[in-house]
C-alpha cells in the first residue's frame, strides 16, 4: 500500500482522532508490518483542506481517511479500508470468518457509527465551535445538542452490550470494537464524558487500551507529537 490520507492539524496530530485510529489499528493488528510500509499524509481539517478541490479530487465526499494503493487506486471509508486489509491478511479476522460473524460485526459497526461516533461528530460540528468559522459555514446548536444526547444513549447501549460479552460484536476483537474505540477517542477530544454508571464500557475501554495493536498505534502518535513539539 502507498499512503493514507488522514486528518492532521496544529491542534491534533494526524493520528490522534477517532477515524485515524480506526484506520490505523488494522495496520497494527496484522503481522505483515503494514504500519511501517504505510505513509500517513496529514490533511488539515482546521484549514478546511478536506473541502478544497485538491482533496475532493481524491475523495468526492471530502471525508477522511482515504487509502491510496501503489497503483493509484483510492479506497475511502474506514469499513471499506478495514475490509480490504482483512482480505489481504485473513489471520486478522477483523470483519469475521463465518457468514454469521460477518453479519453481526457489520451490524455492530454500523450501530457504533450511527449511535455513537457520528453523533459525537455532529455534536462537535454543530454545538461547539467545531473546526472554526472558516469551515463551519452552517451550525444548528439545537441539533448538535440532540446528537450529544444520542451519543450518551449510545454509550449506555454499548455498556449493556459489554455487560454480557467481552467484545462489541461477541467473543473476539473486531472492526466493531475499533469503531467504538474511535467514538471513545472522539468523545474525549470534545470533552464528552462517559457516564459514571457505564462501568462495563469503561472496563472494556481499559482492556482495549492495553492491547498491543493499540499500544503500537499510541507509540506512533506519541512519537509524532514529540516530533511536532520539537519543530
Amino acid at each position: 500500500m502507498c499512503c493514507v490520507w488522514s486528518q492532521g492539524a496544529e491542534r491534533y496530530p494526524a493520528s490522534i482522532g477517532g477515524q485515524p485510529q480506526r484506520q490505523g489499528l488494522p495496520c497494527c493488528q496484522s503481522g505483515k508490518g503494514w504500519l511501517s510500509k504505510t505513509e500517513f499524509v496529514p490533511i488539515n481539517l482546521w484549514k478546511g483542506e478536506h473541502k478544497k478541490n485538491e482533496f475532493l479530487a481524491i475523495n468526492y465526499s471530502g471525508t477522511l481517511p482515504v487509502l491510496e494503493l501503489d497503483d493509484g487506486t483510492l479506497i475511502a471509508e474506514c469499513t471499506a479500508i478495514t475490509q480490504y486489509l482483512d482480505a489481504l491478511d485473513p489471520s486478522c479476522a477483523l470483519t469475521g470468518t463465518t457468514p454469521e460473524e460477518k453479519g453481526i460485526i457489520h451490524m455492530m459497526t454500523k450501530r457504533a457509527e450511527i449511535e455513537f461516533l457520528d453523533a459525537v461528530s455532529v455534536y462537535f460540528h454543530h454545538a461547539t465551535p467545531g473546526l472554526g468559522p472558516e469551515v463551519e459555514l452552517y451550525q444548528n446548536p439545537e441539533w448538535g445538542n440532540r446528537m450529544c444526547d444520542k451519543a450518551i444513549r449510545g454509550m449506555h447501549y454499548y455498556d449493556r452490550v459489554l455487560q454480557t460479552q467481552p467484545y462489541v460484536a461477541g467473543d473476539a476483537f473486531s472492526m466493531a470494537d475499533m469503531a467504538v474505540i474511535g467514538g471513545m477517542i472522539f468523545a474525549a477530544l470534545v470533552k464528552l464524558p462517559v457516564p459514571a454508571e457505564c462501568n462495563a464500557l469503561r472496563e472494556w475501554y481499559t482492556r482495549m487500551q492495553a492491547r498491543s495493536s493499540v499500544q503500537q498505534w499510541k507509540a506512533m502518535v506519541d512519537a509524532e507529537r514529540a516530533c511536532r513539539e520539537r519543530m
Side-chain angles (χ1 to χ4, degrees), residues 1-6 23 27 34-43 55 58 64-76 81 84-85:
M1 65 196 74
C2 179
C3 67
V4 174
W5 301 83
S6 182
Q23 127 265 301
C27 296
W34 287 336
L35 191 62
S36 63
K37 302 174 184 177
T38 304
E39 175 189 2
F40 287 86
V41 180
I43 299 296
F55 184 76
I58 295 170
L64 298 162
V66 179
L67 174 66
E68 181 180 354
L69 308 184
D70 290 332
D71 65 0
T73 299
L74 298 166
I75 303 174
I81 293 171
Y84 169 78
L85 296 176

Side-chain angles (χ1 to χ4, degrees), residues 175-195:
M175 177 172 65
D177 292 281
M178 296 192 306
V180 180
I181 289 172
M184 295 289 281
I185 292 171
F186 203 173
L189 287 175
V190 302
K191 304 185 186 308
L192 183 60
V194 178

Side-chain angles (χ1 to χ4, degrees), residues 2-230:
C2 179
C3 67
V4 174
W5 301 83
S6 182
Q7 70 189 55
E10 287 85 356
R11 302 192 194 186
Y12 301 138
S15 48
I16 202 171
Q19 297 290 16
Q21 178 100 8
R22 287 181 67 190
Q23 127 265 301
L25 280 178
C27 296
C28 300
Q29 190 77 10
S30 172
K32 294 184 178 294
W34 287 336
L35 191 62
S36 63
K37 302 174 184 177
T38 304
E39 175 189 2
F40 287 86
V41 180
I43 299 296
N44 194 321
L45 304 186
W46 301 88
K47 293 182 179 180
E49 290 180 353
H50 58 307
K51 300 300 183 183
K52 297 187 183 303
N53 290 335
E54 293 83 356
F55 184 76
L56 293 176
I58 295 170
N59 182 15
Y60 172 80
S61 298
T63 57
L64 298 162
V66 179
L67 174 66
E68 181 180 354
L69 308 184
D70 290 332
D71 65 0
T73 299
L74 298 166
I75 303 174
E77 309 299 337
C78 288
T79 52
I81 293 171
T82 303
Q83 188 79 59
Y84 169 78
L85 296 176
D86 222 27
L88 289 181
D89 184 5
S91 66
C92 289
L94 293 171
T95 57
T97 57
T98 68
E100 180 180 350
E101 286 178 354
K102 289 178 181 293
I104 292 174
I105 288 170
H106 276 273
M107 174 186 73
M108 295 302 282
T109 300
K110 191 63 176 178
R111 282 184 182 174
E113 292 172 345
I114 294 174
E115 304 297 334
F116 186 21
L117 186 54
D118 290 353
V120 175
S121 178
V122 173
Y123 165 70
F124 170 71
H125 289 293
H126 285 274
T128 78
L131 295 173
E134 293 185 5
V135 179
E136 308 290 5
L137 301 180
Y138 169 76
Q139 289 186 301
N140 185 329
E142 181 182 359
W143 179 242
N145 286 317
R146 283 178 179 269
M147 290 300 100
C148 177
D149 294 339
K150 182 175 184 177
I152 293 172
R153 291 197 301 272
M155 293 182 195
H156 280 285
Y157 167 72
Y158 279 106
D159 181 70
R160 292 194 300 273
V161 168
L162 292 163
Q163 288 175 22
T164 62
Q165 58 193 41
Y167 297 97
V168 171
D171 295 327
F173 182 79
S174 73
M175 177 172 65
D177 292 281
M178 296 192 306
V180 180
I181 289 172
M184 295 289 281
I185 292 171
F186 203 173
L189 287 175
V190 302
K191 304 185 186 308
L192 183 60
V194 178
E197 61 271 22
C198 291
N199 293 320
L201 179 60
R202 291 173 178 274
E203 188 277 332
W204 165 86
Y205 191 45
T206 298
R207 284 192 289 113
M208 296 303 99
Q209 291 176 307
R211 291 182 63 86
S212 60
S213 57
V214 176
Q215 287 294 313
Q216 186 179 357
W217 182 256
K218 182 177 182 298
M220 192 184 89
V221 172
D222 291 343
E224 180 184 344
R225 181 185 295 113
C227 180
R228 295 175 71 88
E229 289 175 349
R230 290 195 296 268

